[in-house]
Amino acid sequence: MDDGTTFIALGQIIVVLLALIGMGVAGCVLYLVRVQDQLAAIRKDSQERQQYAQLRNIIGGTAQAPVDMFTLFKHIQRSREVEWEKPPLALSLFDGRTDIAGSMQAMCEKYYLDAFTIATDDGLVVASSEDDASADAAKYSYLFTEGKLPDDPKVMLFGIQHKGSSLVGILRTEHNIPDAWVKDMESDAVSVLRNWL
């Protein structure tokens, strides 16, 4: 074998070795990227577990139970604002009101509500301050009869008795309505129902 052929053969061997080395380096880089992604996922999972543990410490409950975000929201809200400090407005629910919807809107004004709906316990709208409250009536009356909390922290539910029927009051509000107002709201709601129905 002459020198030229040997030189070409050595060149080819070097090219193959360099290719193998390059593939090895690329494989190592890919492996390191995968390991880094797995470490990031583990870190994220660990942080989430710590956050859930902290939330459970705030609102109570067992470690196995999922965090009740509504209870958490109410805890945070109550820690910021113990009660809505303004008293209910002194206004008539009937003067200048032409129908039950007007009286329901007056209830919203009196108690600083965004919306107020009265529904049957099987989900039908009896009266509302909103034009279409059928979705809220169906959803929240079911939750109320099942004894469950609403999933929306802006929604409050309470029971109303009218002519032997059990009804559900559905409030939408940004404010932390004092529990002491609920009896007054129930009484006003019954007055509205008696006046119009």
Side-chain angles (χ1 to χ4, degrees):
M1 186 182 288
D2 63 13
D3 290 337
T5 307
T6 304
F7 184 72
I8 290 171
L10 283 173
Q12 289 175 343
I13 290 169
I14 290 170
V15 167
V16 169
L17 287 173
L18 288 174
L20 289 172
I21 290 169
M23 285 174 38
V25 170
C28 287
V29 169
L30 287 174
Y31 180 75
L32 287 173
V33 168
R34 271 195 220 118
V35 168
Q36 187 177 12
D37 288 345
Q38 288 173 347
L39 286 172
I42 290 168
R43 264 192 236 105
K44 183 179 177 188
D45 183 57
S46 174
Q47 287 172 347
E48 286 176 355
R49 285 175 191 271
Q50 288 174 354
Q51 288 171 349
Y52 281 131
Q54 288 170 349
L55 296 182
R56 280 194 196 91
N57 288 337
I58 290 172
I59 65 173
T62 63
Q64 290 78 24
V67 173
D68 184 339
M69 296 311 286
F70 178 81
T71 304
L72 174 68
F73 176 86
K74 294 308 279 183
H75 170 85
I76 292 169
Q77 186 183 42
R78 287 180 195 284
S79 69
R80 283 201 317 256
E81 174 189 22
V82 175
E83 284 189 348
W84 180 236
E85 292 178 356
K86 297 179 182 179
L89 295 176
L91 57 83
S92 170
L93 302 177
F94 307 108
D95 292 347
R97 311 294 174 173
T98 57
D99 57 16
I100 195 167
S103 291
M104 295 295 284
Q105 288 165 354
M107 286 263 305
C108 290
E109 291 171 38
K110 181 175 181 176
Y111 294 103
Y112 314 100
L113 307 175
D114 297 322
F116 181 40
T117 299
I118 300 171
T120 61
D121 57 3
D122 58 354
L124 300 175
V125 176
V126 175
S128 182
S129 64
E130 297 183 297
D131 292 335
D132 184 11
S134 55
D136 273 2
K139 177 179 180 179
Y140 293 117
S141 62
Y142 172 77
L143 288 177
F144 186 77
T145 55
E146 291 290 305
K148 296 178 180 175
L149 292 170
D151 53 0
D152 185 339
K154 296 178 184 177
V155 174
M156 279 181 65
L157 307 176
F158 65 95
I160 300 169
Q161 291 296 318
H162 175 61
K163 293 183 179 177
S165 297
S166 295
L167 305 175
V168 182
I170 304 164
L171 312 179
R172 282 191 172 276
T173 179
E174 296 279 348
H175 305 298
N176 192 15
I177 296 296
D179 293 337
W181 288 13
V182 174
K183 279 287 180 194
D184 293 337
M185 285 191 274
E186 181 182 356
S187 176
D188 281 349
V190 170
S191 298
V192 168
L193 293 172
R194 281 182 184 154
N195 187 74
W196 296 105
L197 300 180

